[in-house]
Amino acid sequence: MPGDALSQDPAELRRRIDTTKAHPARVYDVFLGGKDHYPADRAAAAAGLAANPRGYLDVRHNRDFLRRAVTTLAAQDGIRQFLDIGTGLPTGENVHQIAQRINTDSRVVYVDNDPVVLAHARALLTSGPEGRTDYIDADLKNPAHILEQAAKTLDFDQPIALCLVAILHFVEDAEAYGIVRELVAALPSGSRLVLSHLTEDLNPENIRAVQRTYTERGFTFVLRSRADVERFFTDNGLQPADPGVVPVHHWRPDHAAPVPEQPEASYLAALEDIEKVRYADINDVTDADINVYAAVGGKA
């Protein structure tokens, strides 16, 4: 349960952290300009960037899609409950910060299985007084456990937004569709599925090069077609909302992606390429840069 996870013995937590192998959540942290990663994660991110020098745009636009999707669901659709699986390390704008800024009584449950994320989970629990946040230390591949624990915070008689953002490409087909089916089946009418996924449909040469760098490091890395991504919705009776399953930067763009404060030019020039990513302005994105589909669908 969330409380037990956060009270885990620090020595046990350290034992669970394997600093010699890259982990997707920590590689993602590198691209987002975070500091909660290890040399193996940095090396994996740097290799991915070398394979696709504009690849940081996939990561940053994926994160900006989450911002837009949560904002839309909270402000326009009145969704007040969010189940975010594959949360990753805390960043500047987490789901509860976005949702509770709009509806102060919003409830958010985060789920991840990286012990480094668990170590920083308290940063995800700074709920406003009217809302609530919790963290579950659990694996996406155990949806029954996730649902059981999430029910301690979320009301499964009221609509819930299930966020599976940039997580399913780490799960093979045989498991991925069954996992989503079990999770969606537990959601009440009026719920939403927020999903993004890597694909080779758009710019195959770039993303296949990245795929090679990560599979060499032991990652499962499944690139799904648009039709494959649509199946996560249609197989579960969900209708993707306008504009459907589209490249991530085309999902209801508001051209409000944050622009990082720029350092002195001499400082920036001295940085390694992977360090420069945190200062990049992602508003110059083109279709040739993106390898991620995104969509939001509703349950009748």
Side-chain angles (χ1 to χ4, degrees):
M1 59 191 294
D4 289 343
L6 291 178
S7 62
Q8 185 167 349
D9 178 68
E12 171 63 17
L13 196 57
R14 286 193 297 271
R15 188 193 65 76
R16 285 180 54 194
I17 298 172
D18 185 350
T19 63
T20 67
K21 295 180 180 179
H23 188 284
R26 302 195 301 262
V27 173
Y28 198 72
D29 181 66
V30 176
F31 278 108
L32 292 176
K35 301 181 183 299
D36 300 311
H37 51 262
Y38 297 95
D41 308 304
R42 182 186 174 87
L49 188 66
N52 181 15
R54 299 274 284 174
Y56 64 89
L57 289 164
D58 280 332
V59 177
R60 297 268 300 280
H61 273 281
N62 179 75
R63 189 72 192 183
D64 200 58
F65 158 69
L66 180 62
R67 174 188 65 82
R68 300 194 308 276
V70 172
T71 299
T72 297
L73 295 180
Q76 298 181 18
D77 298 354
I79 301 294
R80 284 172 159 78
Q81 300 191 108
F82 296 82
L83 177 57
D84 182 6
I85 304 178
T87 300
L89 286 147
T91 63
E93 281 281 85
N94 301 297
V95 170
H96 73 278
Q97 293 167 314
I98 300 167
Q100 291 180 355
R101 188 162 55 238
I102 298 166
N103 300 310
T104 57
D105 60 344
S106 295
R107 296 185 174 197
V108 178
V109 171
Y110 295 107
V111 183
D112 210 297
N113 71 334
D114 180 7
V116 175
V117 179
L118 173 58
H120 293 271
R122 285 184 175 83
L124 296 169
L125 303 179
T126 54
S127 174
E130 297 175 53
R132 185 174 173 187
T133 60
D134 262 321
Y135 179 86
I136 302 170
D137 179 29
D139 194 322
L140 172 63
K141 295 181 180 182
N142 191 350
H145 176 66
I146 290 172
L147 292 167
E148 177 187 5
Q149 298 303 319
K152 298 177 181 180
T153 300
L154 304 179
D155 179 358
F156 275 75
D157 290 326
Q158 298 298 321
I160 296 168
L162 169 64
C163 301
L164 297 172
V165 174
I167 185 66
L168 289 169
H169 43 249
F170 299 117
V171 184
E172 297 286 1
D173 280 349
E175 291 181 287
Y177 291 104
I179 288 168
V180 175
R181 181 170 58 250
E182 186 170 347
L183 290 169
V184 171
L187 301 178
S189 175
S191 292
R192 305 291 195 275
L193 173 61
V194 179
L195 186 148
S196 64
H197 200 294
L198 284 168
T199 183
E200 61 182 350
D201 285 358
L202 305 174
N203 298 289
E205 185 176 345
N206 289 348
I207 196 61
R208 286 172 187 158
V210 173
Q211 183 185 42
R212 285 193 294 272
T213 69
Y214 290 149
T215 54
E216 288 168 359
R217 288 166 168 80
F219 289 11
T220 297
F221 206 82
V222 182
L223 302 173
R224 292 188 172 94
S225 68
R226 186 174 186 272
D228 292 336
V229 174
E230 285 180 334
R231 275 192 58 197
F232 289 115
F233 294 89
T234 57
D235 283 6
N236 296 295
L238 306 179
Q239 179 61 45
D242 184 67
V245 176
V246 295
V248 67
H249 61 309
H250 289 313
W251 195 90
R252 304 190 187 184
D254 60 8
H255 309 290
V259 179
E261 185 176 345
Q262 296 300 298
E264 293 289 336
S266 57
Y267 173 82
L268 189 62
L271 297 178
E272 296 178 15
D273 288 344
I274 194 62
E275 294 174 325
K276 293 177 182 178
V277 164
R278 74 179 64 187
Y279 300 110
D281 180 356
I282 67 171
N283 292 292
D284 66 347
V285 65
T286 71
D287 289 350
D289 296 319
I290 293 298
N291 302 281
V292 181
Y293 281 130
V296 175
K299 184 172 183 178

